[in-house]
Amino acid sequence: MSDTTADPASRRVFIDKQSPKAYHALVETADAVRAVAAEAGLDRSLVELINLRVSQINGCAYCLNVHTRAALRAGETTQRLCVLAAWRDTELFTERERAALALAEATTEPANAAAQESAYETARQALDDDEISAAIWVAITINAFNRVSVLSKHRVPLIPGSPRG
């Protein structure tokens, strides 16, 4: 299925709809990664912080919308969500959260070798091997979903009752 509302030159293929088997495999991967994260002891709030930070870096409005709501349901505060993009500049995040966020950023921008080494050193101080693996898998998975949504130009739906809804 394609988005036929745009002019033909800029029309995007919704790759999740065009190739549903591949998309469903990605969803199954996300389910498995969520289970691995829970087994490793990463709570849902931290998983959502990783999802949000990666989505911020990738500029994925659709995933930011989805995972902000999920983070709030998981008990995350609006204050921490509002400053997440500047997590290094605040004391609102624990050492463990900082380590996971650094790993998520390094996973999202793998060409930055210095950031990768620094993130790994930080992670070794705050996370065990299972937590490190789970945090990286969460980041890998949301990176894949970000690319699906960004390249398909998925639209953020208006929430009924919102100022523009």
Side-chain angles (χ1 to χ4, degrees), residues 48-104:
E48 294 306 336
L49 289 174
I50 293 169
N51 286 334
L52 286 167
R53 184 64 193 122
V54 170
S55 297
Q56 287 173 338
I57 292 167
N58 290 326
C60 184
Y62 185 86
C63 291
L64 285 167
N65 182 60
V66 168
H67 292 285
T68 296
R69 293 172 33 197
L72 291 168
R73 283 192 307 272
E76 197 49 71
T77 68
T78 54
Q79 181 186 25
R80 284 170 32 113
L81 295 177
C82 288
V83 299
L84 180 59
W87 64 268
R88 285 181 175 84
D89 300 324
T90 177
E91 300 297 319
L92 296 176
F93 299 94
T94 68
E95 180 183 0
R96 198 163 167 267
E97 291 167 335
R98 291 171 162 301
L101 290 168
L103 276 176

Side-chain angles (χ1 to χ4, degrees), residues 5-66:
T5 61
D7 67 86
S10 65
R11 190 175 56 212
R12 297 293 178 116
V13 173
F14 285 11
I15 63 172
D16 51 329
K17 305 286 189 251
Q18 189 67 36
S19 304
K21 287 182 184 177
Y23 182 74
H24 290 300
L26 183 57
V27 171
E28 288 178 16
T29 299
D31 291 342
V33 167
R34 242 187 325 277
V36 164
E39 289 167 13
L42 298 185
D43 64 29
R44 188 58 187 244
S45 179
L46 180 52
V47 168
E48 294 306 336
L49 289 174
I50 293 169
N51 286 334
L52 286 167
R53 184 64 193 122
V54 170
S55 297
Q56 287 173 338
I57 292 167
N58 290 326
C60 184
Y62 185 86
C63 291
L64 285 167
N65 182 60
V66 168

